[in-house]
Amino acid sequence: MNIIINWIEETFAAIPLPLLEVWGRLGYYLGFGLMILAFGRFTLRRGGRWRLGRERQTWNTQAFSSIPLTFVLIIVTGYLGSFFVLVPGAQTFESLKDLVVFMCIVLFGYPALITVPFAYGLSDLIEGVPPSFLLDWLPGYFINPACFWVGYQLIGKNPDFRLARTWGAYLCFVLIFLAIEPVLWGYLCSSQFTSAISFRTVTPALVFTTGITWLIAPVVMLGALPLARKLGFFWADIAGHVKVRPLGRKEWRWESGRDGGSATAEAAKSGVPLRMVILAPFIVLVLVMVGTTAYVTLRSAAQDSHRLATWLHQEIAENINLQLDEQLSRSGAADDAAAITSLLGNLPVSTHGRAFIMDRAGRIIASSAPADDPVVAAAIAHLETVTPEGLEKRLRDRQFRFTQISAKPLSRETWLARTTAYQDREGDHDDWVMITAMPESRYLASIRTGNSRSAMIFALALLLSLVVAAVLASTVTAPIRRISNATRALAAGDLTQQLPGSSLEELNILVRSFTTWPHG
């Protein structure tokens, strides 16, 4: 496995970085265009031909049921995949989640497509991705399923891998996907990491993990397609589930669940289903309220954590001052850099953080870390950036933060730091400044755990809202549907229609009115 990963990384390392940046930007624009087509319910294969058209989704029982099913499968597979690391520091077993996304979009169609971005975001929160990353990656959460939508267009009507033509269309889809999706994520990640790290670490990792997805997808589809057909969830087998028409025309030229691609006689001019009127506001309200509550709570917790970090840094600095005074007051220790270095290295803050001392000239007097430590170098570089007026300003007490990025293992860690001016008891060393730094994760570990738990609660709340809304919609629409069916039977000459009552007062009155109506 490592041989394959290294080969992919070497291949991308051989490509000039400017070319990768252009490729990534182009992939992003192409993906954005696919996103508009996919979520705008356009189709590229109208009636089996490569022509732009529009697609109409019927929101029946199968369509509604596929939404929570897709949601649960993505959350579960994302959680399970996070326990297996394929590329250390870069990628977990995302292949499992991508496989489910591909399978759901190809088998369920548009309802699964619109579910994927929200399920992907919640899945990443549960896996511990910082919320700030999710905001930066927001376009990618919509572009990513749009790339899978290409597979829906190519093989969606008959994804049977026992047929040779399915393999040809599938290979075409895989090539298109690999040409767009990994590099566009390299482009999106370049805001958190450098372009070199993004395109030469993140992109190769995605090529590897999605490559695994496309190797196992045909095998899984051989079992998933018959199961979906047996349960009645495969979109292309459901009569009237999806209709397609040419762009700019009103007549529908193709309908799912019918033999061939001949035009259907009826025009689809039905209005919005009642269940959609009930379900949509309910789900949107839950999304907004739970999302807002989670955001406000997590933001408040993060702010409290930062205030706590500031106070802890002040206490740490005062403690170091006392110990340093004691060290320097000893006979012959005034210029003993080794003794000060030993002191700093034995401090509790040095276990996970850094503590070092600089002078007015920017020379490091002593440090708890090795001389070439990248965190110390990053802290000094940040100080030089925020205090361009000179070293004199750096001797003042200040709280600051900086980011340390590494390629192997891939990481982007924010450090919280504080500079404290130092002067010993004798008034000497007034040109020294102590700097303490701790990774933000040490302070925010519980916050990130809370993010994960909140995301799980958010996922459960959304699922429960779907169930409650579905029950509510069924309670309201079932009697109306029975009355509608009885009305059609009555129009056909059947005067023996009887309807059961309803638990809802208004609908029960309507049922009684229909039942007591003089049929003869």
Side-chain angles (χ1 to χ4, degrees), residues 84-95 202 205-206 208-209 410:
F84 302 92
V85 179
L86 290 183
V87 182
Q91 271 289 0
T92 54
F93 192 29
E94 289 287 311
S95 307
V202 176
L206 286 173
F208 177 73
T209 53
L410 180 65

Side-chain angles (χ1 to χ4, degrees), residues 51-133:
R51 295 181 182 177
L52 189 63
R54 292 302 303 273
E55 189 175 273
R56 178 182 181 270
Q57 173 69 56
T58 299
W59 291 99
N60 48 27
T61 302
Q62 292 92 336
F64 284 120
S65 300
S66 62
I67 292 177
L69 182 57
T70 300
F71 190 86
V72 170
L73 288 174
I74 292 175
I75 295 296
V76 171
T77 53
Y79 182 73
L80 294 177
S82 65
F83 290 99
F84 302 92
V85 179
L86 290 183
V87 182
Q91 271 289 0
T92 54
F93 192 29
E94 289 287 311
S95 307
L96 190 61
K97 183 162 63 175
D98 288 340
L99 174 63
V100 165
V101 172
F102 170 75
M103 182 181 67
C104 291
I105 291 178
V106 170
L107 295 179
F108 304 153
Y110 189 76
L113 176 76
I114 62 176
T115 306
V116 170
F118 305 99
Y120 249 123
L122 278 175
S123 177
D124 281 351
L125 274 178
I126 292 173
E127 294 171 32
V129 175
S132 59
F133 277 33

